[in-house]
Amino acid sequence: MLTILAAGSVFFPGLFLLSKQCLKSIPALRWSEGDAVIVSARLVSSIQAVMASSAGYIIASSCKDIIEDQHWLTSTYIMFAVPYFVYDIYAMFMCYWYKLRVKGHEEALAAPQHMRSAVRSYLRREFLMVLHHVVMVTVCFPVSVFWRQGKGDYFQGIMFMAELSTPSVCLGKILIQYKQQHTLLHKVNGALMLVTFFIFRVLLFPYLYYVYGRYASIPFHMVPLTVPWHCNVGAALLMAPQLYWFSLICRGALRLFTGASLVETQDVKLVLPGG
């Protein structure tokens, strides 16, 4: 267990540093520190999303009995991915920090008091995302690895597949960062983000309730009254931020496809999840 945690602790920060160094040193790119940090953070988030989704598909497709069947990859990937959520809090702050450097004076930003102010501002702006990451580490990790007692790997695999929406979210943020909102790629990616987020995040828990209802031979509307209360509470707490973020995506998509100002679209999109 400790070996897998250590591997994740090395892999995600190491991938971030390697990507940043490559973007800064490749002759054809020679990006600035700030640009390299921002793109590298999005890249690591996208790679983690692909890995999690792939693991989720393997797990879910291998489980015939959705309650009793187990797959070794379930707990293994949970332990490997836990360090990612810790790393990503730092990576998101670095992205926020370099955005501030673009807007302000570099000399002032070097002052310790400004760093404290930046941290407070970051925590206010990204409170929901930081809280989400903290809950994933402090609550979801022990529940998924220890409390489940090896049951429900199918459900865990489906929840991994929620990350399928992350690459399009990350690409959208990069395109906005470099003022590419007018491009066809941005519009296509926006539509893809809307669809994938709705299917893999908004419909996630209704689908899991439906699957359990079929397994237990009970009507869909009776499932919340049948499962333990803490399952309903946990699902509601995880579902609430997804609905909030989806509302932001819908607002951004509406403004994008109805020709609203680029500034308005940017303000909506920059608070979306995805690292």
Side-chain angles (χ1 to χ4, degrees):
M1 177 177 176
L2 292 178
T3 302
I4 299 172
L5 285 171
S9 300
V10 172
F11 178 79
F12 294 109
L15 182 61
F16 170 76
L17 293 174
L18 177 63
S19 173
K20 184 182 71 169
Q21 189 60 37
C22 288
L23 291 173
K24 289 171 58 181
S25 60
I26 293 177
L29 296 176
R30 296 287 186 181
W31 285 8
S32 67
E33 177 80 11
D35 289 341
V37 164
I38 292 170
V39 174
S40 296
R42 311 303 185 207
L43 178 62
V44 174
S45 293
S46 297
I47 291 174
Q48 193 282 139
V50 172
M51 294 172 64
S53 302
S54 300
Y57 176 78
I58 293 170
I59 294 164
S61 61
S62 70
C63 293
K64 306 306 179 184
D65 187 306
I66 65 172
I67 300 297
E68 300 296 335
D69 284 358
Q70 298 181 18
H71 195 287
W72 66 269
L73 192 54
T74 308
S75 294
T76 300
Y77 191 77
I78 291 172
M79 290 185 288
F80 180 74
V82 161
Y84 164 79
F85 293 98
V86 178
Y87 142 82
D88 198 44
I89 294 175
Y90 167 78
M92 288 190 299
F93 173 73
M94 293 305 297
C95 292
Y96 181 74
W97 176 252
Y98 279 104
K99 289 173 188 174
L100 288 181
R101 294 184 67 169
V102 172
K103 297 177 181 178
H105 298 288
E106 190 167 341
E107 296 79 6
L109 286 169
Q113 62 269 23
H114 192 95
M115 174 63 78
R116 290 193 294 269
S117 176
V119 170
R120 288 194 296 268
S121 176
Y122 161 72
L123 291 176
R124 285 195 301 269
R125 181 179 177 84
E126 299 288 350
F127 174 77
L128 188 58
M129 180 56 66
V130 172
L131 178 63
H132 171 267
H133 281 31
V134 170
V135 169
M136 291 297 290
V137 175
T138 61
V139 179
C140 294
F141 166 61
V143 167
S144 298
V145 174
F146 304 110
W147 182 81
R148 288 189 311 115
Q149 297 180 338
K151 295 185 181 296
D153 279 20
Y154 174 84
F155 294 97
Q156 192 67 59
I158 295 296
M159 292 180 70
F160 283 165
M161 294 178 67
E163 293 290 340
L164 274 171
S165 63
T166 298
S168 58
V169 173
C170 291
L171 177 58
K173 288 185 175 184
I174 292 174
L175 292 173
I176 289 172
Q177 183 70 25
Y178 296 102
K179 307 294 188 295
Q180 298 300 308
Q181 297 96 317
H182 61 283
T183 62
L184 176 62
L185 176 59
H186 185 256
K187 292 184 178 181
V188 172
N189 182 71
L192 180 64
M193 177 170 59
L194 184 69
V195 172
T196 55
F197 201 96
F198 179 71
I199 293 175
F200 293 104
R201 288 183 181 260
V202 175
L203 294 183
L204 175 66
F205 287 102
Y207 172 75
L208 293 179
Y209 276 54
Y210 165 74
V211 170
Y212 181 78
R214 285 203 313 169
Y215 175 82
S217 300
I218 57 177
F220 174 75
H221 68 275
M222 292 297 295
V223 174
L225 303 178
T226 306
V227 300
W229 66 269
H230 49 264
C231 293
N232 291 321
V233 171
L237 291 176
L238 291 173
M239 185 71 174
Q242 311 306 326
L243 292 175
Y244 169 70
W245 287 322
F246 183 66
S247 71
L248 295 182
I249 292 176
C250 290
R251 286 171 54 194
L254 180 63
R255 290 171 174 170
L256 176 64
F257 290 105
T258 56
S261 71
L262 296 181
V263 173
E264 288 178 320
T265 305
Q266 181 173 355
D267 287 343
V268 172
K269 289 287 187 68
L270 286 179
V271 295
L272 295 179

